[in-house]
Amino acid sequence: MTIDSREVPAALSSRPRRLRVTERLRALVRENRVSAEQLIMPHFVLPTDRAEDPIESMPGISRYGVKDLVQRVLADAELGIRAVLLFGTPPDGSKDERGTPASSPDSAVARAVAALKQQVGDEIVVITDVCLCAYTSHGHCGVLRDGKVINDETLPLLRETAVAHAEAGADLVAPSDMMDGRVAAIREGLDEAGHTDVGILSYAVKYASAYYGPFRDAAESTPAAGDRKAYQMDPANVREAIREARLDEQEGADMLMVKPALAYLDVVRAVREETSLPLATYNVSGEYSAVKAAAERGWLDEAAVVRENLGAMVRAGADLIITYHARDALQRGWL
Ligand code: PBG
Ligand code: ZN
């Protein structure tokens, strides 16, 4: 018997390609969409009024002084970016063993929150990262003794930091330290200070990832010695993600996060199926910079890749996406 490739099957009734014929048809049957309302833009704030300092390892991203940050956020709001996540840098020479400058009422983050809230009110959701690593002399996310990060001694410091951000006017605080019990400690601190309406977006599921490399340059938060594997999660684990998510929900988290995003979309899906809380995923610095670097060399079509990546996060079950691509995606019409 000879196989004739020109032979047409008599009755091929099921043809999925029928719905792919035109862009109009494809749009009509598209299952998932990414919208501007889901995006959260991260920012790095410097402890000064005026500054714009490009981050070499993150093309297109700069660290801003408080006033320049406000200008940037206002301009981005015109594009439709209505939520920001703020990371701070302490004044030169102020880092110490316990990360004291993190909870200062006039930290860069606290000043930026106050300035933003004064300018934009409730038009923009202001979220603050709560951690100590940018403020400790050793660069770890908690109190360090004999090379170990001491969980329970770190909790009051995180709590004070979250309260300082709430006092400045933050809508949500986002603890990224991975200490056990920190959501409960922060919730209690916020409530006792009268901030019952300030929510917690917990970095519930945060892996010890190599994709944070460019961020650590930007935030100057690389540990001086050792790594974060004794507190951040092992990339091999997914059942543990469910355990972390449940604990944070029980402790009073209002939203959960899985971080990083792209290499962990199975985890996003698994957590999505376990919780009814809104779920965010963090498209981290290394994921951003890898796309940028390849695009700069002409090796990838940046628009198409960013659309595909953000779309994959939504398809996996993310309600919100924290991404450095937010501005480009909206300004250049990539969604
Ligand atoms: C600090 C923190 C990190 C990120 C967010 N908060 C780095 C780390 O844990 O080492 C990573 C963000 C990114 O890579 O974009 N706790
Ligand atoms: Zn940290």
Side-chain angles (χ1 to χ4, degrees):
M1 196 178 98
T2 59
I3 296 172
D4 184 346
S5 62
R6 290 164 304 176
E7 210 168 287
V8 179
L12 184 49
S13 59
S14 203
R15 294 179 183 268
R17 288 187 50 188
R18 282 187 195 118
L19 300 182
R20 301 182 196 137
V21 175
T22 68
E23 172 52 25
R24 285 293 140 238
L25 266 168
R26 293 191 291 272
L28 203 59
V29 298
R30 191 156 290 139
E31 298 177 36
N32 291 287
R33 288 189 168 74
V34 181
S35 70
E37 285 92 342
Q38 295 174 284
L39 303 181
I40 301 171
M41 180 80 190
H43 286 289
F44 301 96
V45 197
L46 294 167
T48 176
D49 276 348
R50 306 240 74 122
E52 176 171 353
D53 173 20
I55 300 163
E56 208 182 325
S57 56
M58 300 178 71
I61 306 294
S62 294
R63 305 190 291 179
Y64 294 100
V66 172
K67 290 194 169 153
D68 290 292
L69 176 84
V70 172
Q71 290 320 113
R72 176 85 259 173
V73 172
L74 288 173
D76 286 351
E78 296 297 309
L79 300 171
I81 299 175
R82 297 310 177 95
V84 296
L85 172 61
L86 305 183
F87 294 92
T89 325
D92 280 343
S94 70
K95 295 190 185 193
D96 64 20
E97 283 279 299
R98 298 170 67 80
T100 313
S103 55
S104 163
D106 46 40
S107 69
V109 167
R111 287 172 51 205
V113 170
L116 279 171
K117 279 292 147 184
Q118 203 202 338
Q119 290 267 328
V120 303
D122 291 338
E123 285 305 306
I124 291 175
V125 178
V126 178
I127 312 169
T128 61
D129 182 88
V130 172
C131 199
L132 303 182
C133 52
Y135 305 90
T136 50
S137 43
H138 44 75
H140 277 286
C141 302
V143 175
L144 194 68
R145 188 164 323 112
D146 302 326
K148 290 200 170 84
V149 171
I150 312 295
N151 194 90
D152 297 12
E153 279 182 46
T154 304
L155 298 180
L157 304 174
L158 296 168
R159 170 179 161 149
E160 277 172 46
T161 302
V163 171
H165 294 175
E167 304 270 293
D171 294 295
L172 297 162
V173 293
S176 65
D177 51 280
M178 289 303 278
M179 298 304 115
D180 292 332
R182 96 301 188 139
V183 171
I186 289 172
R187 186 68 271 158
E188 190 186 82
L190 291 172
D191 290 352
E192 278 178 17
H195 297 294
T196 51
D197 286 342
V198 173
I200 300 174
L201 164 54
S202 176
Y203 286 67
V205 181
K206 178 173 176 181
Y207 288 92
S209 170
Y211 283 101
Y212 308 150
F215 173 96
R216 290 183 187 171
D217 292 341
E220 290 166 18
S221 64
T222 310
D227 53 42
R228 303 206 204 286
K229 291 179 185 165
Y231 44 105
Q232 298 180 348
M233 285 174 55
D234 184 335
N237 295 354
V238 64
R239 289 197 305 269
E240 189 185 357
I242 303 304
R243 185 176 186 213
E244 285 282 6
R246 283 197 185 133
L247 280 170
D248 284 11
E249 182 164 355
Q250 284 160 15
E251 288 179 32
D254 299 282
M255 302 191 201
L256 302 178
M257 188 200 301
V258 170
K259 175 186 174 188
L262 288 173
Y264 299 88
L265 294 180
D266 58 322
V267 182
V268 171
R269 170 52 53 196
V271 174
R272 172 69 292 159
E273 281 165 12
E274 284 294 328
T275 180
S276 54
L277 295 181
L279 181 61
T281 191
Y282 197 143
N283 181 206
V284 299
S285 58
E287 298 174 328
Y288 171 83
S289 297
V291 170
K292 279 282 172 191
E296 276 177 6
R297 294 178 174 209
W299 290 350
L300 285 178
D301 173 346
E302 188 178 3
V305 165
V306 169
R307 189 182 305 118
E308 189 170 330
N309 283 351
L310 300 181
M313 294 169 209
V314 168
R315 193 188 65 231
D319 304 300
L320 311 164
I321 302 172
I322 301 159
T323 181
Y324 304 96
H325 292 296
R327 181 180 313 123
D328 280 340
L330 296 176
Q331 193 165 37
R332 298 158 79 180
W334 293 347
L335 298 183

